[in-house]
Amino acid sequence: MLRLKVNITGNTFQDDLILSLLSFVTLVLLGHIQLDLVEGLPITLQSLLVVLFPLMFGMRVGLIFVSAYLLAGGFGAPVFAGNESGWNHFLGATGGFLLAFPIAALISGVAGEMASKVPSLNRITFITGAVILFMSQVIILLLGIGWMDALSHTSFDFNTKITSLMPRLLVKTALGTIVFVLIGRILNNLNSKQ
């Protein structure tokens, strides 16, 4: 939703590569950090960043940086939550979450691009961004938990798992919405001064 406000080199393809690199570096540096905002409620920024950058900068940026992130982690860079890495994470309990990242990035990016073309949604960017962030993270949550359920050899209570993870999702959505609005205002201020 903010991609049209970013003009680094004047070349859209080069700008997308630069934004992808910045998104990738931010995800690598901040994605594994755990925030303990509420006791017993650790939150990693991984799934938020995976959908925030595509929302802001578009589907192409989202797919490039998320693919690079997953490949880097698969090939051994310690970029996954807990500074983990390796292809085994795609087959284990967290595999559904990791494999959901490009899907959620695609949906977030496409939704952001579509919303930016609708004037009525541009007037309520704050709400539109929050809804897209929330829904994209719900996709990651559902696919990740579904994967865990498929791997589980015991009875798996899907509703309890979702209920326990929903507060984290809401906190991340609120945090992502604040960042989205702040970056949007910064870009508006920079563009108005030119």
PDB file of all heavy atoms in Angstrom, residues 4-6 184-194:
ATOM      1  N   LEU A   4       3.983   2.847  -3.988  1.00  0.00           N
ATOM      2  CA  LEU A   4       3.988   3.965  -4.927  1.00  0.00           C
ATOM      3  C   LEU A   4       4.651   5.213  -4.335  1.00  0.00           C
ATOM      4  O   LEU A   4       5.022   6.121  -5.066  1.00  0.00           O
ATOM      5  CB  LEU A   4       2.566   4.284  -5.379  1.00  0.00           C
ATOM      6  CG  LEU A   4       1.867   3.171  -6.167  1.00  0.00           C
ATOM      7  CD1 LEU A   4       0.433   3.558  -6.484  1.00  0.00           C
ATOM      8  CD2 LEU A   4       2.633   2.831  -7.438  1.00  0.00           C
ATOM      9  N   LYS A   5       4.808   5.232  -3.032  1.00  0.00           N
ATOM     10  CA  LYS A   5       5.430   6.376  -2.370  1.00  0.00           C
ATOM     11  C   LYS A   5       6.942   6.230  -2.258  1.00  0.00           C
ATOM     12  O   LYS A   5       7.615   7.121  -1.768  1.00  0.00           O
ATOM     13  CB  LYS A   5       4.834   6.560  -0.977  1.00  0.00           C
ATOM     14  CG  LYS A   5       3.351   6.842  -0.990  1.00  0.00           C
ATOM     15  CD  LYS A   5       2.787   6.904   0.400  1.00  0.00           C
ATOM     16  CE  LYS A   5       1.284   7.113   0.330  1.00  0.00           C
ATOM     17  NZ  LYS A   5       0.681   7.172   1.646  1.00  0.00           N
ATOM     18  N   VAL A   6       7.466   5.059  -2.680  1.00  0.00           N
ATOM     19  CA  VAL A   6       8.901   4.792  -2.573  1.00  0.00           C
ATOM     20  C   VAL A   6       9.534   4.867  -3.955  1.00  0.00           C
ATOM     21  O   VAL A   6       9.151   4.128  -4.861  1.00  0.00           O
ATOM     22  CB  VAL A   6       9.169   3.401  -1.958  1.00  0.00           C
ATOM     23  CG1 VAL A   6      10.652   3.125  -1.880  1.00  0.00           C
ATOM     24  CG2 VAL A   6       8.528   3.288  -0.590  1.00  0.00           C
ATOM     25  N   GLY A 184       4.188   4.897   6.758  1.00  0.00           N
ATOM     26  CA  GLY A 184       3.366   5.631   5.795  1.00  0.00           C
ATOM     27  C   GLY A 184       3.452   7.138   6.003  1.00  0.00           C
ATOM     28  O   GLY A 184       3.581   7.903   5.047  1.00  0.00           O
ATOM     29  N   ARG A 185       3.407   7.564   7.248  1.00  0.00           N
ATOM     30  CA  ARG A 185       3.508   9.009   7.539  1.00  0.00           C
ATOM     31  C   ARG A 185       4.896   9.548   7.209  1.00  0.00           C
ATOM     32  O   ARG A 185       5.015  10.665   6.695  1.00  0.00           O
ATOM     33  CB  ARG A 185       3.160   9.265   9.001  1.00  0.00           C
ATOM     34  CG  ARG A 185       1.689   9.093   9.265  1.00  0.00           C
ATOM     35  CD  ARG A 185       1.298   9.473  10.645  1.00  0.00           C
ATOM     36  NE  ARG A 185      -0.142   9.291  10.799  1.00  0.00           N
ATOM     37  CZ  ARG A 185      -0.779   9.332  11.932  1.00  0.00           C
ATOM     38  NH1 ARG A 185      -0.107   9.579  13.054  1.00  0.00           N
ATOM     39  NH2 ARG A 185      -2.070   9.150  11.987  1.00  0.00           N
ATOM     40  N   ILE A 186       5.921   8.773   7.504  1.00  0.00           N
ATOM     41  CA  ILE A 186       7.289   9.196   7.167  1.00  0.00           C
ATOM     42  C   ILE A 186       7.422   9.372   5.656  1.00  0.00           C
ATOM     43  O   ILE A 186       7.962  10.370   5.180  1.00  0.00           O
ATOM     44  CB  ILE A 186       8.330   8.191   7.714  1.00  0.00           C
ATOM     45  CG1 ILE A 186       8.393   8.279   9.236  1.00  0.00           C
ATOM     46  CG2 ILE A 186       9.707   8.431   7.100  1.00  0.00           C
ATOM     47  CD1 ILE A 186       9.161   7.147   9.890  1.00  0.00           C
ATOM     48  N   LEU A 187       6.913   8.396   4.896  1.00  0.00           N
ATOM     49  CA  LEU A 187       6.984   8.498   3.431  1.00  0.00           C
ATOM     50  C   LEU A 187       6.168   9.682   2.911  1.00  0.00           C
ATOM     51  O   LEU A 187       6.592  10.368   1.982  1.00  0.00           O
ATOM     52  CB  LEU A 187       6.518   7.187   2.789  1.00  0.00           C
ATOM     53  CG  LEU A 187       7.465   5.998   2.963  1.00  0.00           C
ATOM     54  CD1 LEU A 187       6.805   4.709   2.453  1.00  0.00           C
ATOM     55  CD2 LEU A 187       8.777   6.242   2.264  1.00  0.00           C
ATOM     56  N   ASN A 188       5.002   9.925   3.503  1.00  0.00           N
ATOM     57  CA  ASN A 188       4.197  11.084   3.093  1.00  0.00           C
ATOM     58  C   ASN A 188       4.949  12.383   3.348  1.00  0.00           C
ATOM     59  O   ASN A 188       4.943  13.284   2.509  1.00  0.00           O
ATOM     60  CB  ASN A 188       2.864  11.113   3.847  1.00  0.00           C
ATOM     61  CG  ASN A 188       1.861  10.126   3.285  1.00  0.00           C
ATOM     62  OD1 ASN A 188       1.966   9.695   2.137  1.00  0.00           O
ATOM     63  ND2 ASN A 188       0.893   9.745   4.101  1.00  0.00           N
ATOM     64  N   ASN A 189       5.591  12.484   4.508  1.00  0.00           N
ATOM     65  CA  ASN A 189       6.365  13.687   4.831  1.00  0.00           C
ATOM     66  C   ASN A 189       7.545  13.860   3.888  1.00  0.00           C
ATOM     67  O   ASN A 189       7.831  14.981   3.433  1.00  0.00           O
ATOM     68  CB  ASN A 189       6.853  13.658   6.274  1.00  0.00           C
ATOM     69  CG  ASN A 189       5.726  13.882   7.261  1.00  0.00           C
ATOM     70  OD1 ASN A 189       4.689  14.455   6.917  1.00  0.00           O
ATOM     71  ND2 ASN A 189       5.904  13.429   8.485  1.00  0.00           N
ATOM     72  N   LEU A 190       8.248  12.769   3.585  1.00  0.00           N
ATOM     73  CA  LEU A 190       9.386  12.853   2.663  1.00  0.00           C
ATOM     74  C   LEU A 190       8.944  13.271   1.264  1.00  0.00           C
ATOM     75  O   LEU A 190       9.581  14.081   0.619  1.00  0.00           O
ATOM     76  CB  LEU A 190      10.129  11.521   2.598  1.00  0.00           C
ATOM     77  CG  LEU A 190      10.939  11.119   3.835  1.00  0.00           C
ATOM     78  CD1 LEU A 190      11.454   9.698   3.689  1.00  0.00           C
ATOM     79  CD2 LEU A 190      12.068  12.093   4.067  1.00  0.00           C
ATOM     80  N   ASN A 191       7.828  12.694   0.808  1.00  0.00           N
ATOM     81  CA  ASN A 191       7.331  13.021  -0.535  1.00  0.00           C
ATOM     82  C   ASN A 191       6.787  14.441  -0.620  1.00  0.00           C
ATOM     83  O   ASN A 191       6.874  15.074  -1.668  1.00  0.00           O
ATOM     84  CB  ASN A 191       6.258  12.014  -0.966  1.00  0.00           C
ATOM     85  CG  ASN A 191       6.865  10.660  -1.309  1.00  0.00           C
ATOM     86  OD1 ASN A 191       8.023  10.567  -1.697  1.00  0.00           O
ATOM     87  ND2 ASN A 191       6.086   9.609  -1.139  1.00  0.00           N
ATOM     88  N   SER A 192       6.214  14.953   0.470  1.00  0.00           N
ATOM     89  CA  SER A 192       5.685  16.325   0.433  1.00  0.00           C
ATOM     90  C   SER A 192       6.783  17.367   0.439  1.00  0.00           C
ATOM     91  O   SER A 192       6.580  18.492  -0.005  1.00  0.00           O
ATOM     92  CB  SER A 192       4.736  16.561   1.624  1.00  0.00           C
ATOM     93  OG  SER A 192       5.464  16.560   2.836  1.00  0.00           O
ATOM     94  N   LYS A 193       7.973  17.016   0.902  1.00  0.00           N
ATOM     95  CA  LYS A 193       9.095  17.947   0.931  1.00  0.00           C
ATOM     96  C   LYS A 193       9.828  18.017  -0.404  1.00  0.00           C
ATOM     97  O   LYS A 193      10.662  18.879  -0.613  1.00  0.00           O
ATOM     98  CB  LYS A 193      10.089  17.553   2.034  1.00  0.00           C
ATOM     99  CG  LYS A 193       9.526  17.772   3.418  1.00  0.00           C
ATOM    100  CD  LYS A 193      10.500  17.334   4.477  1.00  0.00           C
ATOM    101  CE  LYS A 193       9.866  17.518   5.859  1.00  0.00           C
ATOM    102  NZ  LYS A 193      10.744  17.048   6.918  1.00  0.00           N
ATOM    103  N   GLN A 194       9.536  17.076  -1.301  1.00  0.00           N
ATOM    104  CA  GLN A 194      10.233  17.056  -2.611  1.00  0.00           C
ATOM    105  C   GLN A 194       9.564  17.951  -3.608  1.00  0.00           C
ATOM    106  O   GLN A 194       8.446  18.211  -3.676  1.00  0.00           O
ATOM    107  CB  GLN A 194      10.306  15.627  -3.143  1.00  0.00           C
ATOM    108  CG  GLN A 194      11.202  14.763  -2.295  1.00  0.00           C
ATOM    109  CD  GLN A 194      11.250  13.324  -2.809  1.00  0.00           C
ATOM    110  OE1 GLN A 194      10.546  12.949  -3.722  1.00  0.00           O
ATOM    111  NE2 GLN A 194      12.103  12.528  -2.223  1.00  0.00           N
TER     112      GLN A 194
END
